[in-house]
Amino acid sequence: MKNKTFYYLLLTIGFISIYACGGTKQATATKKINNSVDKVVDAAINEQFEQFKENFLSNYWKANPSHAAYVGLTDYDTLLILPTAENRAKQLANNATLLKELQLFKNKGLSLSNQTDYSLIENRLLSSQWYAKEFKSYAWQPNSYNLGGKFHRLLGNNDLPIAGRLEKIYILLEKVAPYYKAAQQNIDNPTVEHTQLAIGQLQGTVAVFQKNLTDAASAIDTLKALSFTKKAYLNRIDAAKQSVLKYIHWLEKDILPTLSGKTARSFRIGKELYNKKFAFDIQSGYTADEIYKKAIQEKKAIHEKMAKITTKLWPKYFETAAPEDNLVATKLLIDKIAQKHVARDSFVVAIKKQLPELVAFVKEKDLLYLDPAKPLEVRETPVYMRGVAGASISAPGPFEKSRPTYYNVTPLDHYSAEQAESYLREYNHYMLQILNIHEAIPGHYAQLVYSNQSPSLIKSIFGNGAMIEGWACYTERMMLEEGYGNHQPELWLMYYKWNLRIVCNTILDYSVHVLNMQEKEAIDLLTKEAFQEATEASGKWRRATLTQVQLCSYYTGLTEIYDFREERKKAQGKDFNLKAFHEQFLSYGSVPVKEIRKLMKK
Ligand code: ZN
Ligand code: ZN
């Protein structure tokens, strides 16, 4: 889901990755950097290009203040672009101008790093045009208008004195009503699913006004020289809250009941939009169709590996003979092994406890340098971010490198006993370790620390989702290969189940949006062939109805990284060093794997 109004970069395996950059996610796979690697680098041109990048970014931040806040820039905090048709037209014109300016640098002797920046910027601009003109989610995703994150983040920004934050909040509050008025005018035949999501998530936004912002008012009495009174502040909160409630109410009463019958928009985006979105968002060397076909084959291969482990482990767990059908036997064994899990009230604590163990392993095996000065804090997921995410990482942006990275874990208290049991079996003793590798060490957390050190701001800012998710998935396999968990077959079996999940994510997403897969078929795929628990499977179905393409990023990224490493190993023979490979790979920032390949081969 690309949600204009979420400000945290959420990276999750089980759930939705939300980028701060809204409908303007970068990239196109159609654009190729020119291969003139050996062309003479022209210093003057590169100097000019640096200036262009500065100009591009300052334009970009003004048009995307939410993304600016997400990366830690506070100068744009009080900007809120009203989502009007007029502003969209302005933005398109502005993009077109920037694109022309950019293209003056084409084939002009840019350094390799600048060629990559060129490609990222061009992708960003083209993608942004496409989202505005063709994809038009502003009309059919009512959930894209959610200011909860913006206010929550601003209020929680401890780098600014509280008085400054309250001043900014006071200015912003006045824009909430016109914002939702414009939003309302944009909505045109939305999908039922996105309308329901909006109604649910915006309750959380109301709570941010009602609770967080209101609580902050208590500070006003002790502060001097504020430009407003406590009463005026509270009045603005109330007016803002009312406008959100009005929008929710309108969606519930005037819109939702009209969304049925033949003219109702389906959440399935269809082949044409899907292929285009895949090319823009993933930036893989593969087309959507090719990745889908690869995933179908991979599923088969994994099933065979799992069958082997099952045959070996079966007598350890069962006295009776295994069923003939390999999938059935594997499923029974997984269920048995999954019974080993933490208690529901120690879920968060168990995650906290495991992180130092992962750090120690990475050090002992010399896999990657981890900077001890970059803290990782496990916290309960803030309420307004809940609803779709079970575990996720909120990373600091490149301008706020001192801010801790948060590992958000949603406690299970909103679950019934049965739901909690199902969830805990899914994230059992073995799986929880893989989750922590993926989300934290040496997965997302470690990668994002490196990404923020990237010498190129463009590369730090316009991160490629497939590279980011691919890295996290790559580290799972790499850690196991290096002996994390002492090669226990149970851990490998669970790993394959997890791996199967990303393979099936790809199959599911493509099938749902392009091949009209129905819910029952989807649930069968996930439960029978990917061995998922009911809660996980229905959550994944829901995610596939709310997002498009992003579910493919994991498998696509993993495949590209793993293959690249194997190629390097072969080419370098005994000179190959895993730690050096990892550190160099991560040093360029979160750019598409195919770009990293070029940079590393240089
Ligand atoms: Zn992830
Ligand atoms: Zn249990």
Side-chain angles (χ1 to χ4, degrees):
M1 180 167 56
K2 309 302 164 317
N3 187 324
K4 268 201 174 110
T5 51
F6 271 84
Y7 300 86
Y8 291 90
L9 178 59
L10 294 183
L11 297 155
T12 73
I13 182 87
F15 299 89
I16 294 179
S17 235
I18 298 163
Y19 286 81
C21 23
T24 58
K25 227 187 139 210
Q26 78 286 0
T28 167
T30 54
K31 165 67 195 162
K32 285 203 181 72
I33 282 197
N34 72 72
N35 284 324
S36 55
V37 167
D38 299 316
K39 195 167 181 170
V40 181
V41 171
D42 181 327
I45 288 286
N46 283 281
E47 188 52 43
Q48 284 171 33
F49 191 64
E50 292 303 322
Q51 282 166 20
F52 168 79
K53 285 196 280 189
E54 250 175 62
N55 176 44
F56 165 78
L57 276 179
S58 94
N59 262 286
Y60 180 79
W61 298 134
K62 276 177 215 148
N64 301 276
S66 336
H67 193 184
Y70 154 70
V71 299
L73 290 175
T74 55
D75 293 354
Y76 309 89
D77 281 348
T78 56
L79 277 181
L80 180 63
I81 311 291
L82 297 183
T84 60
E86 197 194 340
N87 282 339
R88 274 193 299 279
K90 249 190 231 167
Q91 189 52 44
L92 280 172
N94 195 18
N95 274 351
T97 309
L98 287 167
L99 200 54
K100 266 190 201 150
E101 287 173 26
L102 173 73
Q103 284 164 347
L104 294 175
F105 292 96
K106 195 170 189 166
N107 299 328
K108 287 278 163 54
L110 290 178
S111 69
L112 201 57
S113 172
N114 272 337
Q115 289 182 40
T116 313
D117 283 357
Y118 178 106
S119 164
L120 290 174
I121 294 170
E122 185 177 55
N123 290 336
R124 164 73 45 170
L125 291 168
L126 290 172
S127 158
S128 174
Q129 310 279 65
W130 180 79
Y131 272 100
K133 287 196 218 161
E134 310 286 335
F135 198 64
K136 292 183 180 171
S137 46
Y138 64 81
W140 54 271
Q141 295 190 357
N143 60 302
S144 55
Y145 306 102
N146 186 341
L147 297 178
K150 190 171 178 76
F151 281 98
H152 192 270
R153 185 176 181 94
L154 181 51
L155 182 66
N157 187 355
N158 293 322
D159 294 345
L160 299 173
I162 183 67
R165 277 178 268 164
L166 288 170
E167 289 285 358
K168 287 180 171 187
I169 286 167
Y170 187 68
I171 295 169
L172 265 182
L173 279 169
E174 207 180 17
K175 301 177 184 174
V176 174
Y179 180 89
Y180 281 99
K181 206 176 147 200
Q184 202 167 317
Q185 278 166 357
N186 287 338
I187 302 300
D188 180 19
N189 198 20
T191 76
V192 173
E193 291 75 12
H194 293 94
T195 307
Q196 285 168 340
L197 178 66
I199 292 167
Q201 286 188 333
L202 286 166
Q203 311 286 354
T205 301
V206 170
V208 170
F209 289 121
Q210 200 156 283
K211 179 89 181 74
N212 308 59
L213 293 185
T214 304
D215 288 354
S218 62
I220 293 178
D221 293 332
T222 64
L223 295 168
K224 290 183 188 92
L226 281 181
S227 69
F228 51 86
T229 64
K230 186 172 174 177
K231 186 159 177 279
Y233 172 80
L234 289 172
N235 282 342
R236 279 200 183 175
I237 289 180
D238 193 55
K241 190 184 87 182
Q242 292 306 330
S243 61
V244 181
L245 283 169
K246 204 175 138 199
Y247 179 66
I248 297 175
H249 192 78
W250 176 74
L251 290 173
E252 263 175 338
K253 299 285 186 271
D254 295 354
I255 297 300
L256 205 49
T258 68
L259 305 179
S260 59
K262 282 195 184 123
T263 56
R265 176 187 270 271
S266 166
F267 60 84
R268 304 175 200 275
I269 64 171
K271 193 175 176 86
E272 201 184 321
L273 286 178
Y274 192 91
N275 285 345
K276 227 29 204 282
K277 194 171 195 287
F278 184 91
F280 275 124
D281 290 0
I282 304 283
Q283 284 181 278
S284 162
Y286 300 106
T287 64
D289 190 51
E290 285 166 344
I291 272 292
Y292 169 72
K293 285 180 184 143
K294 270 176 87 81
I296 294 281
Q297 301 223 320
E298 184 69 9
K299 182 179 70 166
K300 194 168 165 265
I302 295 171
H303 281 164
E304 282 162 13
K305 288 181 200 159
M306 293 177 95
K308 271 193 195 146
I309 297 177
T310 301
T311 306
K312 195 168 130 196
L313 273 184
W314 187 268
K316 181 176 166 188
Y317 288 91
F318 297 97
E319 282 170 6
T320 53
E324 291 269 307
D325 185 328
N326 281 333
L327 286 178
V328 174
T330 302
K331 169 85 172 141
L332 284 171
L333 182 60
I334 286 172
D335 286 349
K336 190 85 176 179
I337 295 172
Q339 286 170 13
K340 189 171 172 187
H341 63 72
V342 299
R344 72 183 283 180
D345 56 359
S346 40
F347 189 65
V348 180
V349 178
I351 287 178
K352 254 183 208 168
K353 203 177 138 251
Q354 211 166 76
L355 300 182
E357 294 164 18
L358 291 169
V359 173
F361 184 83
V362 169
K363 264 192 199 151
E364 183 203 318
K365 296 283 175 170
D366 217 14
L367 301 176
L368 183 69
Y369 173 72
L370 297 170
D371 187 347
K374 306 287 179 199
L376 175 64
E377 276 179 28
V378 180
R379 70 172 179 187
E380 294 192 357
T381 312
V383 175
Y384 75 94
M385 286 164 71
R386 293 185 193 179
V388 281
S392 64
I393 290 286
S394 295
F399 299 102
E400 48 177 10
K401 294 173 187 175
S402 60
R403 182 189 289 273
T405 301
Y406 293 111
Y407 186 171
N408 307 307
V409 184
T410 307
L412 308 182
D413 27 292
H414 60 299
Y415 281 166
S416 69
E418 201 185 328
Q419 283 171 325
E421 176 63 20
S422 170
Y423 190 87
L424 289 165
R425 269 189 262 125
E426 187 74 26
Y427 291 99
N428 57 65
H429 173 74
Y430 301 98
M431 210 59 117
L432 203 54
Q433 300 177 56
I434 300 168
L435 175 76
N436 287 329
I437 292 173
H438 178 103
E439 296 293 340
I441 293 155
H444 287 315
Y445 154 76
Q447 190 266 321
L448 288 160
V449 170
Y450 273 86
S451 178
N452 278 345
Q453 286 162 353
S454 156
S456 159
L457 205 48
I458 295 289
K459 294 180 190 68
S460 296
I461 292 163
F462 302 115
N464 175 260
M467 181 272 177
I468 293 170
E469 287 304 346
W471 170 262
C473 294
Y474 162 77
T475 61
E476 300 158 7
R477 186 181 297 176
M478 182 274 291
M479 289 284 278
L480 263 61
E481 285 175 348
E482 293 303 311
Y484 177 78
N486 293 323
H487 303 284
Q488 295 165 89
E490 284 90 345
L491 188 58
W492 271 104
L493 186 71
M494 285 298 172
Y495 167 72
Y496 282 128
K497 184 192 158 184
W498 182 271
N499 190 209
L500 205 47
R501 176 189 325 208
I502 65 169
V503 172
C504 288
N505 278 349
T506 301
I507 298 172
L508 174 76
D509 197 59
Y510 187 85
S511 304
V512 164
H513 288 285
V514 179
L515 307 174
N516 199 34
M517 179 185 258
Q518 299 301 301
E519 183 170 1
K520 178 165 184 318
E521 256 180 287
I523 299 293
D524 277 355
L525 169 75
L526 299 176
T527 55
K528 292 187 184 145
E529 293 199 77
F531 314 109
Q532 292 179 13
E533 299 286 348
T535 316
E536 190 79 10
S538 64
K540 190 56 63 68
W541 164 256
R542 178 164 182 252
R543 178 174 167 185
T545 67
L546 293 170
T547 70
Q548 319 81 24
V549 170
Q550 193 270 338
L551 278 170
C552 301
S553 56
Y554 308 87
Y555 173 61
T556 311
L558 165 65
T559 305
E560 288 184 301
I561 297 171
Y562 198 86
D563 292 354
F564 178 42
R565 188 195 75 180
E566 293 306 287
E567 272 172 40
R568 295 283 283 196
K569 247 189 199 169
K570 227 177 175 178
Q572 296 180 344
K574 53 181 191 330
D575 292 336
F576 179 84
N577 178 289
L578 192 57
K579 183 169 189 259
F581 172 81
H582 290 154
E583 289 171 359
Q584 197 187 352
F585 183 87
L586 293 180
S587 69
Y588 305 104
S590 312
V591 296
V593 179
K594 61 179 181 179
E595 307 293 349
I596 298 177
R597 268 176 179 267
K598 284 181 204 158
L599 293 163
M600 282 180 75
K601 278 180 181 160
K602 180 70 179 159

